[in-house]
Amino acid sequence: MLDLLLAGFGNVLSPQIFILITLGVAVGIVFGAVPGLTAVMAIALCLPMTYTLGPAAGISLLIALFVGATSGGLISAILLKIPGTPSSIATTFDGAPMMEKGEGAKALGVGIVFSFIGTILSIGALMFIAPSLARVALSFGPHEYFAIAIFSLTLIATLSSGSMIKGIFAGVAGFAVSTVGIAPVDAITRFTFGRVEINAGFSILTVLVGMFAVAEVIRVAESAHRKGGAPVAPPLLVRIKGFGFSMAEFLGQIPNAIRSSLIGISIGILPGIGAGTSNIISYIAAKKRSKTPEKFGKGTIEGVVASESANNAGIGGAMIPLLTLGIPGDAVTAILLGGLMIHGIQPGPMLFITQGPLVYTIFAALVVAAIMMLILEFVGLRLFIKLLAIPKHILLPIILVLCAVGAFGLASRIFDVWTILAFGILGYAFAKAGMPTAPFIIGFILGPMAETNFRRGLQLSSGDFTGFLTNPIAGTFLALAALSILWQVYAALRPHKIATLPNAQD
């Protein structure tokens, strides 16, 4: 194994492949940072370039794009309150408040370092425990996926700071929006009003860009109109030392990073869930385990660490079923599967036997790409911060145009541009009504997963609902979901009970 790994590093560190990895990471960071552009688009656009390259060089380039784009989303999530990718949704929850408090450099530094740590831990999992974890993931069926989705949906109240009712309403609204289009299993058209453009439903990218980016542009435009001009954010360039945070803060976040990385790896292995879910679940887990949960959402590095460790840990997690079983877990790994097959590589259990040197070259490429991601983002840290010196009335229209270009690039339809504007208005309405956006996004992401697997589970059990309860794994998750609901109701009612005690005001 060690000999194969050393040979893999020897291949990757050759001038041609090393330059390709460096360029791939840099391009990936740009695609991740620009709202509307994603790792999927980066890899899809660069895939034709690998046709004339050898297998090692071509796959290394695609992997570098994957690593760079996954981490790049933290830049706009922190600096602009706009998640560059679905995997950086939770980064906005605390990264943006830190930026507003003048700690933008610290938030970026924390995100960059723990993105690297999450990636390295997931590569370790890929190298050492891939076959065992892949077999466990392969045993999951519709009953298990439905139970996991329901358990995740019950955690919506955790993100509902303020009114739990508003949070639940936002989550239900997100679930409802996810049902638009052709229904799973029986292919019945729902809520399309005769518009063929909506048959496929709404893309997660258009929803994210609209709810976060366009809504933020509208909100800033409103405040600029009232004050007579958009305020210029401070450049925050006051002697950034290293990555902007202390060694004590770094060591204090190691348990959080390990826990979040394990969540990211585990969810990354499960096909169809992805980093868009893992970063939110790890954020919730960090908030529950924190000694100061009241700081979450107000600007704490714990939230940034949880989100960025988890979403980058999903890289190695998603590669496990891809390489060991030939099963892509999301759109990115589906394109990577196509890239492997173009070069005559058939992923599966025999891959480690028939093409061992190439497998370890892929492992080495992941490690080198992670290191280059850390270096390039560290070098660009001060450049990223300078974005804050650009007046908002100049920066935000540019962002809006890029969002429109990204939405149009999804399927070359002007309909998607109108869609992001519609969701932007909805996101602005949410902000004015004091309703949280995160539960809406969770409901939208997990809704199709819950519905599809619920209907498939009923088909497998011939319409018998007890199949979800008698299945050990599904039953356990559903029991946890019930306990979660009871606990959150108790936690919501407890302050009211205390306030009504006779001596509560004494």
Side-chain angles (χ1 to χ4, degrees), residues 180-308:
V180 174
I182 297 177
V185 181
D186 56 15
I188 294 175
T189 303
R190 304 179 300 189
F191 312 119
T192 61
F193 303 101
R195 297 295 300 271
V196 294
E197 299 93 336
I198 319 179
N199 283 349
F202 298 110
S203 165
I204 179 60
L205 182 64
T206 59
V207 174
L208 277 180
V209 170
M211 294 292 289
F212 285 96
V214 179
E216 178 68 9
V217 170
I218 297 174
R219 189 190 65 79
V220 173
E222 179 191 33
S223 61
H225 174 72
R226 289 177 180 175
K227 298 178 182 179
V232 178
L236 302 176
L237 286 170
V238 183
R239 294 184 180 180
I240 303 172
K241 295 181 180 179
F243 284 95
F245 58 94
S246 67
M247 180 59 69
E249 289 175 315
F250 171 77
L251 295 176
Q253 292 303 313
I254 293 298
N256 183 11
I258 294 174
R259 179 181 60 249
S260 301
S261 296
L262 291 175
I263 292 173
I265 293 168
S266 302
I267 292 179
I269 293 170
L270 301 175
I273 301 181
T277 303
S278 67
N279 75 107
I280 297 176
I281 292 178
S282 64
Y283 181 88
I284 294 171
K287 184 176 180 180
K288 285 182 174 292
R289 296 296 300 271
S290 175
K291 296 179 180 178
T292 55
E294 68 280 357
K295 292 184 179 180
F296 278 70
K298 299 177 182 177
T300 175
I301 63 172
E302 291 182 80
V304 178
V305 169
S307 175
E308 289 303 315

Side-chain angles (χ1 to χ4, degrees), residues 356-404:
L358 179 62
V359 171
Y360 282 88
T361 298
I362 292 174
F363 293 162
L366 282 165
V367 174
V368 173
I371 295 172
M372 292 309 302
M373 172 197 76
L374 182 69
I375 294 172
L376 291 175
E377 291 188 339
F378 174 71
V379 171
L381 181 60
R382 287 135 186 90
L383 176 63
F384 302 151
I385 293 295
K386 287 183 180 180
L387 289 173
L388 297 177
I390 302 176
K392 288 289 184 71
H393 67 276
I394 296 175
L395 180 62
L396 289 180
I398 296 174
I399 293 296
L400 186 60
V401 171
L402 290 174
C403 290

Side-chain angles (χ1 to χ4, degrees), residues 46-390:
C46 294
L47 182 60
M49 301 179 187
T50 69
Y51 293 168
T52 57
L53 301 174
I59 300 304
S60 295
L61 174 60
L62 298 180
I63 285 172
L65 290 164
F66 186 13
V67 172
T70 302
S71 179
L74 69 89
I75 298 171
S76 56
I78 292 171
L79 298 183
L80 303 172
K81 297 187 192 177
I82 302 169
T85 62
S87 61
S88 56
I89 296 170
T91 307
T92 62
F93 299 163
D94 281 290
M98 286 183 69
M99 185 273 294
E100 292 173 349
K101 293 193 300 184
E103 298 179 340
K106 183 177 181 179
L108 282 172
V110 166
I112 292 168
V113 169
F114 285 95
S115 291
F116 171 75
I117 291 175
T119 305
I120 292 297
L121 289 176
S122 73
I123 296 171
L126 173 63
M127 293 172 61
F128 295 106
I129 58 176
S132 300
L133 287 176
R135 281 195 293 270
V136 173
L138 189 62
S139 67
F140 276 39
H143 295 93
E144 289 85 357
Y145 280 121
F146 169 75
I148 291 172
I150 292 300
F151 173 65
S152 301
L153 285 169
T154 62
L155 301 177
I156 282 177
T158 305
L159 295 179
S160 306
S161 56
S163 172
M164 183 185 295
I165 299 298
K166 289 183 178 180
I168 294 173
F169 174 82
V172 171
F175 198 126
V177 171
S178 73
T179 63
V180 174
I182 297 177
V185 181
D186 56 15
I188 294 175
T189 303
R190 304 179 300 189
F191 312 119
T192 61
F193 303 101
R195 297 295 300 271
V196 294
E197 299 93 336
I198 319 179
N199 283 349
F202 298 110
S203 165
I204 179 60
L205 182 64
T206 59
V207 174
L208 277 180
V209 170
M211 294 292 289
F212 285 96
V214 179
E216 178 68 9
V217 170
I218 297 174
R219 189 190 65 79
V220 173
E222 179 191 33
S223 61
H225 174 72
R226 289 177 180 175
K227 298 178 182 179
V232 178
L236 302 176
L237 286 170
V238 183
R239 294 184 180 180
I240 303 172
K241 295 181 180 179
F243 284 95
F245 58 94
S246 67
M247 180 59 69
E249 289 175 315
F250 171 77
L251 295 176
Q253 292 303 313
I254 293 298
N256 183 11
I258 294 174
R259 179 181 60 249
S260 301
S261 296
L262 291 175
I263 292 173
I265 293 168
S266 302
I267 292 179
I269 293 170
L270 301 175
I273 301 181
T277 303
S278 67
N279 75 107
I280 297 176
I281 292 178
S282 64
Y283 181 88
I284 294 171
K287 184 176 180 180
K288 285 182 174 292
R289 296 296 300 271
S290 175
K291 296 179 180 178
T292 55
E294 68 280 357
K295 292 184 179 180
F296 278 70
K298 299 177 182 177
T300 175
I301 63 172
E302 291 182 80
V304 178
V305 169
S307 175
E308 289 303 315
S309 298
N311 62 24
N312 284 267
I315 294 173
M319 294 291 290
I320 290 174
L322 175 66
L323 294 179
T324 59
L325 300 171
I327 299 174
D330 54 18
V332 177
T333 49
I335 298 177
L336 285 176
L337 175 61
L340 288 167
M341 297 181 72
I342 285 171
H343 290 283
I345 304 166
Q346 180 59 54
M350 295 299 295
L351 179 65
F352 290 78
I353 299 174
T354 59
Q355 300 195 52
L358 179 62
V359 171
Y360 282 88
T361 298
I362 292 174
F363 293 162
L366 282 165
V367 174
V368 173
I371 295 172
M372 292 309 302
M373 172 197 76
L374 182 69
I375 294 172
L376 291 175
E377 291 188 339
F378 174 71
V379 171
L381 181 60
R382 287 135 186 90
L383 176 63
F384 302 151
I385 293 295
K386 287 183 180 180
L387 289 173
L388 297 177
I390 302 176

Side-chain angles (χ1 to χ4, degrees), residues 488-498:
Q488 288 166 9
V489 171
Y490 171 75
L493 295 178
R494 188 180 178 186
H496 176 71
K497 290 181 179 179
I498 294 175

